[in-house]
Amino acid sequence: MMGKQAVMEVLRANGVRYVFGNPGTSESPIMDALEGYPDLEYVLVLQEGVAMGMADAYARCTGRPSFVNLHIETGLANGLSLLHNANAGRTPLVLTAGNKDVRELAHGRTELADMTRALTKWSVEVTHPDQVPSVLGRAFKEAATPPTGPTFVSLSANALDGETGLDALPPTATHPAVPDRAALEDAVRTLAEAENPVMLVGDPVSESQAAGEAVQVAEALGARVYASAYSGMNFPTDHPAFRGALRVDFPEGTRTLADADAVLAVGPLATGYYMLSNPAMTYLAPGAKLVHVDSDPREVGRTQPTEVGIAADPKAALGALADALDASMSGSHREAARGRLAELAKEKEALGLAWNSRVEQRWDAKPMSAERMMTEVAASLPPDALIADDAVTSRDALHGAMDFTEPGSLLSARGGALGWGVGGTMGVKLANPDRPVVGVLGDGSAMMTAQGFWTAAVRNIPVVYLICNNRAYRVLKVNMNAYKSRVLGEESPSSGYIGMDFPLPLDLASMAEAMGVFGRKIEDPAEIGPALSHALDLGKPAVLDVSIDGAV
């Protein structure tokens, strides 16, 4: 068979259903081969970031590598920002692009693998048809093997149009790594003696479906729980021990951890997104002990003094740790843990009252507050709805108004690049066709990939986009204030916020309607509930463009 057919056979062998992409001339062999494989659905996008967002969310929801095909260096370049997100979030994703024939070297051809190498687990170019089955098969295996992550394969024209006699190999199952017994014993000794233990849960918890095990460990220790990242349901948000997201590389994060004598961290400690943090900062108080669990051994002990490092699958490690704590903790330690849990429950109740007070104080604000918007949304969502979250500065309000307790109930953008949400929401829906899916997006991020509304219309993907339209890059204003206070030492920071406002507000509802999607602008919060119910009942994609307060 020809190399281009070998590509199709590898996709079949790895259970691929969708090919997300935007083609160019270099993809002609791929598009031609797809005609003979009707079980592989090509999802056309008008901007490459949409394909990357869809593939990212689809892979994270299904747990299997997704497949993207972009066009040579020009289309590939448009996908790099969201490839950064996939890399930061360890998304199992195989990205490909067609390239010129290798004999075009004198005329000029780009080394596409060099473009992606810094943002992938593995990047390579295929230059002979015999390489296609093995190399593309390895790309899927690399993407799926913990620590998971995106891979890239450049497909030269001669590799696609030449002939090969090699078959696609079936994928090889990789079993999760189990924790080292000695390290587990050391972790139990370190944590069981703690008088003020804290847990930090990151995205590897949800990726390994380990939230239940995380709860067992937290309850055994009586530990306060923070999320170092929460782009999936890493811990049930209604649990008495849970205290929400905590950026440990922010000053307030280190202050929060100052009283902890032992910290159990699962996943990366910090994202590195915030540019003003001190890379030499020690997050823990003097004498505090860190137990760090991650499937990626490169993360364990990378930046902080670590008492016990465990390189293992988070689900396996937390399950084993819960069993070991149950078997070894003394009666006095159990009693102390129960006492801490009782105090945490009282604190949780007080935090709930504080949230209600905040909502009440801003209830009648005009434009409406993010808190009012999310309260109205929460009251109108079906109980089985899934949320795709790409609303950076409205995220606290989203989490204040809603609890996330079911694995997969929330999927958020990660990595820092804007534009994930339009495609990401559709990716969640393709992976969950029988569940209502609502995307909550900032206006600035939605505008980055608004072309995705067209794909939603053409394929009739029935998602509802809720746009938090604050008429600004509000996150930049928040970070500017942080820069002025933390770096420049200003007590009352102020700024002209150059380049951060939208003097002409983004009319996402009208843009959606121009692309065949139902669109509606909303300024009155009382309209949110009925509009959301109507949009969900349509059975078609819809955009509800909600005007909210953007003040900082």
Side-chain angles (χ1 to χ4, degrees):
M1 59 184 166
M2 301 178 76
K4 61 186 180 182
Q5 294 169 312
V7 171
M8 303 298 122
E9 295 296 336
V10 173
L11 299 189
R12 273 184 172 174
N14 284 275
V16 170
R17 177 177 178 183
Y18 298 108
V19 176
F20 302 100
N22 180 274
T25 304
S26 60
E27 284 65 54
S28 295
I30 299 290
M31 309 313 291
D32 179 58
L34 278 169
E35 294 185 21
Y37 292 80
D39 51 314
L40 298 173
E41 295 185 44
Y42 190 84
V43 181
L44 175 63
V45 305
L46 303 184
Q47 203 273 349
E48 289 80 1
V50 180
M52 295 299 296
M54 292 180 79
D56 181 279
Y58 186 79
R60 289 164 61 189
C61 287
T62 62
R64 302 189 305 273
S66 54
F67 184 76
V68 183
N69 182 237
L70 302 181
H71 172 50
I72 211 162
E73 65 274 286
T74 52
L76 180 61
N78 282 340
L80 289 184
S81 65
L82 289 181
L83 178 61
H84 161 77
N85 280 12
N87 186 51
R90 304 181 188 175
T91 300
L93 180 155
V94 177
L95 173 62
T96 60
N99 203 355
K100 296 177 182 177
D101 191 301
V102 292
R103 290 167 291 187
E104 292 289 330
L105 185 61
H107 295 158
R109 67 191 303 274
T110 302
E111 297 294 333
L112 302 185
D114 289 346
M115 292 177 60
T116 61
R117 191 159 283 119
L119 301 174
T120 56
K121 278 186 69 178
W122 187 55
S123 286
V124 68
E125 178 163 39
V126 166
T127 58
H128 190 281
D130 283 349
Q131 296 172 329
V132 173
S134 60
V135 171
L136 196 55
R138 179 182 167 186
F140 274 93
K141 179 173 176 55
E142 291 278 354
T145 302
T148 59
T151 58
F152 173 76
V153 179
S154 170
L155 301 163
S156 67
N158 54 290
L160 292 172
D161 288 323
E163 291 187 351
T164 177
L166 302 180
D167 294 328
L169 298 175
T172 303
T174 302
H175 297 285
V178 297
D180 176 77
R181 184 180 297 274
L184 199 63
E185 292 172 354
D186 290 343
V188 169
R189 281 193 294 269
T190 299
L191 296 169
E193 299 289 335
E195 296 181 0
N196 187 22
V198 167
M199 275 186 71
L200 292 172
V201 291
D203 289 335
V205 174
S206 58
E207 294 296 330
S208 64
Q209 300 290 303
E213 289 80 358
V215 168
Q216 288 180 282
V217 172
E219 291 180 347
L221 294 173
R224 190 184 309 270
V225 181
Y226 296 96
S228 58
Y230 203 93
S231 70
M233 202 288 286
N234 297 329
F235 202 91
T237 58
D238 64 348
H239 193 280
F242 189 66
R243 292 296 180 270
L246 175 70
R247 290 298 308 273
V248 294
D249 49 351
F250 276 30
E252 54 267 32
T254 56
R255 288 194 294 269
T256 300
L257 296 177
D259 294 332
D261 55 353
V263 173
L264 169 61
V266 187
L269 283 172
T271 65
Y273 169 67
Y274 190 62
M275 309 305 175
L276 309 177
S277 57
N278 179 359
M281 181 188 296
T282 298
Y283 300 154
L284 307 181
K289 296 179 179 180
L290 174 65
V291 176
H292 194 179
V293 178
D294 202 311
S295 59
D296 188 349
R298 297 169 299 180
E299 286 287 344
V300 177
R302 185 172 73 168
T303 64
Q304 302 301 304
T306 302
E307 184 79 8
V308 182
I310 301 176
D313 172 71
K315 187 177 183 71
L318 289 172
L321 185 56
D323 291 341
L325 288 168
D326 183 62
S328 63
M329 285 183 71
S330 66
S332 61
H333 287 145
R334 294 177 191 272
E335 186 64 28
R338 283 194 290 269
R340 287 192 291 268
L341 281 176
E343 289 300 316
L344 289 172
K346 293 178 183 178
E347 289 181 17
K348 186 80 167 185
E349 184 176 353
L351 290 171
L353 293 174
W355 162 256
N356 292 337
S357 176
R358 181 180 171 187
V359 172
E360 184 178 349
Q361 290 173 6
R362 306 197 68 198
W363 189 254
D364 295 319
K366 293 183 180 180
M368 80 179 82
S369 66
E371 292 84 357
R372 175 73 186 272
M373 174 187 173
M374 298 306 173
T375 300
E376 299 285 356
V377 169
S380 304
L381 279 176
D384 60 340
L386 304 179
I387 299 295
D389 165 33
D390 195 18
V392 180
T393 59
S394 296
R395 187 163 294 149
D396 286 347
L398 174 69
H399 282 262
M402 303 180 199
D403 281 319
F404 298 99
T405 60
E406 176 193 350
S409 57
L410 173 76
L411 206 70
S412 295
R414 49 192 185 186
L418 295 183
W420 176 86
V422 174
T425 302
M426 290 188 282
V428 173
K429 183 64 178 179
L430 290 179
N432 298 275
D434 298 326
R435 301 279 295 272
V437 175
V438 175
V440 183
L441 284 58
D443 54 342
S445 187
M447 188 63 197
M448 293 284 184
T449 46
Q451 301 93 329
F453 297 150
W454 181 90
T455 297
V458 168
R459 294 191 65 89
N460 193 28
I461 301 175
V463 295
V464 177
Y465 295 103
L466 286 167
I467 309 298
C468 305
N469 197 326
N470 56 29
R471 300 163 299 285
Y473 289 130
R474 187 173 181 271
V475 65
L476 298 184
K477 295 183 178 183
V478 172
N479 286 345
M480 176 61 78
N481 287 355
Y483 166 71
K484 285 178 168 287
S485 62
R486 294 169 183 162
V487 178
L488 302 184
E490 296 182 10
E491 293 185 5
S492 301
S494 62
S495 174
Y497 302 120
I498 295 173
M500 303 177 196
D501 285 302
F502 304 153
L504 181 62
L506 304 176
D507 189 347
L508 276 302
S510 294
M511 294 179 198
E513 288 192 319
M515 297 186 201
V517 171
F518 173 83
R520 179 175 173 181
K521 295 181 186 179
I522 297 177
E523 295 183 351
D524 183 352
E527 296 178 8
I528 291 176
L532 179 55
S533 297
H534 173 69
L536 288 167
D537 289 341
L538 283 175
K540 297 179 179 180
V543 171
L544 303 181
D545 192 354
V546 184
S547 179
I548 64 171
D549 183 15
V552 293

